[in-house]
Amino acid sequence: MGKEMNSIKNEEQYEALRDKGMSKEKAARIANTSNPDHNSTPYEERTKEELYDKAKEVGIEGRSEMSKEELIKALRNH
């Protein structure tokens, strides 16, 4: 059967991306990394704790020593 994703976090987005011709892997990756709660919230409007959690999620090193502004810069350049 091949390798299937156990669960897609955003099924609707996944299907829309597949309909546009995107590969299953890429569509699943995008749908699973998108956070509907934060998608439209600019980094500047998030708390330092939210930014820290996002930095942790994506694996940014040195995040515990960073200011809010440094976290924003690191996330944007990641």
Side-chain angles (χ1 to χ4, degrees), residues 3-4 7 15 23-24 26-27 29 33 37 40-41 43 50 71 74 76-77:
K3 198 169 146 186
E4 290 187 32
S7 71
E15 293 300 331
S23 73
K24 288 181 182 178
K26 189 169 184 182
R29 190 169 59 244
T33 57
D37 298 333
S40 61
T41 308
Y43 286 143
E50 288 172 318
L71 284 166
R76 288 210 167 112
N77 293 318

Side-chain angles (χ1 to χ4, degrees), residues 29-45:
R29 190 169 59 244
I30 292 169
N32 284 338
T33 57
S34 295
N35 183 342
D37 298 333
H38 283 155
N39 273 352
S40 61
T41 308
Y43 286 143
E44 288 79 8
E45 292 179 20

Side-chain angles (χ1 to χ4, degrees), residues 5 9 12 14 32 34 36-37 43 50 66 68:
M5 297 297 293
K9 288 181 186 174
E12 203 173 291
Y14 172 78
N32 284 338
S34 295
D37 298 333
Y43 286 143
E50 288 172 318
M66 293 181 184
K68 181 176 177 178

Side-chain angles (χ1 to χ4, degrees), residues 18 23-24 32 39 44 46 53 61 69 72 75:
R18 289 290 293 136
S23 73
K24 288 181 182 178
N32 284 338
N39 273 352
E44 288 79 8
R46 298 187 200 177
D53 289 345
E61 306 230 350
E69 290 73 26
I72 291 169
L75 286 165

